Amino acid sequence: MHEKDPTGKIRIVKIKDGTVIDHIRAGHALDVLRILGITGKEGNIVTLAMNISSSKIERKDIVKIEDRILKAEELDRIALVAPEATINLIENYEVVQKNRVELPNIITDVIQCTNMRCITNKEREPIQAKYEVVSKHPTQLKCKYCWTLINEDDIIAQFCS
Ligand SMILES: [Zn+2]
């Protein structure tokens, strides 16, 4: 079971069960793995394809994670770095569910406020970070506590260390 690109070459093996994250902006597959906290040590088979021809002009990345179903909060996280992504749930080689990721209007916790003096960054304060999503394309968040604006590059940088 293989997918073929327009030139007929076999690119990626279809998976039996698991999740396919498709239509990730080209070059952002690794960011998606980072934001999901997937390191490869979990034991799941993970297949990455980068810079795949999606249409004549656009290229995309695809991530396939075998034997894993993503939770709703994980889908929200993907939206932070890959707002156009689609999530396909695969069972026995068939797509049984297809969802677009969508940034919620409020994001809690996942991201650290870039203002180091923000109350959410004080270790002694058990305050959960909370952000208002001010823009979805491109992603921009506003800290509910100090009003610092956090853009896409800041978000990606947090998952690259
Ligand atoms: Zn803040």
Side-chain angles (χ1 to χ4, degrees):
M1 303 282 277
H2 295 98
E3 276 181 18
K4 288 184 178 180
D5 75 1
T7 63
K9 285 185 195 152
I10 292 164
R11 292 290 186 185
I12 322 173
V13 177
K14 279 198 175 185
I15 64 173
K16 184 170 184 283
D17 297 292
T19 305
V20 174
I21 308 163
D22 200 352
H23 300 105
I24 301 166
R25 283 175 297 171
H28 287 273
L30 292 173
D31 299 326
V32 168
L33 290 183
R34 286 183 191 111
I35 213 160
L36 291 173
I38 292 173
T39 61
K41 290 178 183 153
E42 298 79 13
N44 304 64
I45 297 172
V46 176
T47 315
L48 275 189
M50 299 176 88
N51 298 311
I52 295 281
S53 301
S54 168
S55 63
K56 276 186 181 138
I57 36 164
E58 282 187 58
R59 286 175 177 272
K60 64 173 183 178
D61 290 359
I62 304 174
V63 171
K64 302 192 176 196
I65 309 162
E66 298 191 29
D67 302 317
R68 177 152 169 194
I69 312 273
L70 298 175
K71 300 185 204 95
E73 75 232 33
E74 292 180 305
L75 299 184
D76 291 348
R77 273 188 235 178
I78 292 171
L80 288 167
V81 292
E84 298 87 8
T86 52
I87 313 292
N88 298 333
L89 192 62
I90 312 291
E91 278 178 25
N92 204 21
Y93 298 110
E94 298 293 331
V95 177
V96 292
Q97 206 182 315
K98 205 175 183 108
N99 293 309
R100 282 196 70 107
V101 298
E102 170 81 44
L103 266 186
N105 295 323
I106 301 288
I107 301 236
T108 49
D109 228 10
V110 190
I111 309 288
Q112 194 183 11
C113 183
T114 52
N115 171 13
M116 282 305 144
R117 298 170 69 181
C118 177
I119 193 163
T120 61
N121 282 325
K122 301 245 187 329
E123 269 176 37
R124 290 185 188 177
E125 303 282 349
I127 290 176
Q128 201 183 39
K130 198 170 187 180
Y131 307 93
E132 185 191 336
V133 177
V134 290
S135 165
K136 295 187 181 185
H137 302 279
T139 308
Q140 192 174 46
L141 312 177
K142 186 168 81 179
C143 177
K144 285 286 224 182
Y145 295 94
C146 69
W147 294 8
T148 295
L149 289 172
I150 299 168
N151 63 35
E152 218 167 83
D153 291 342
D154 297 325
I155 295 165
I156 288 168
Q158 288 190 18
F159 293 93
C160 289
S161 52

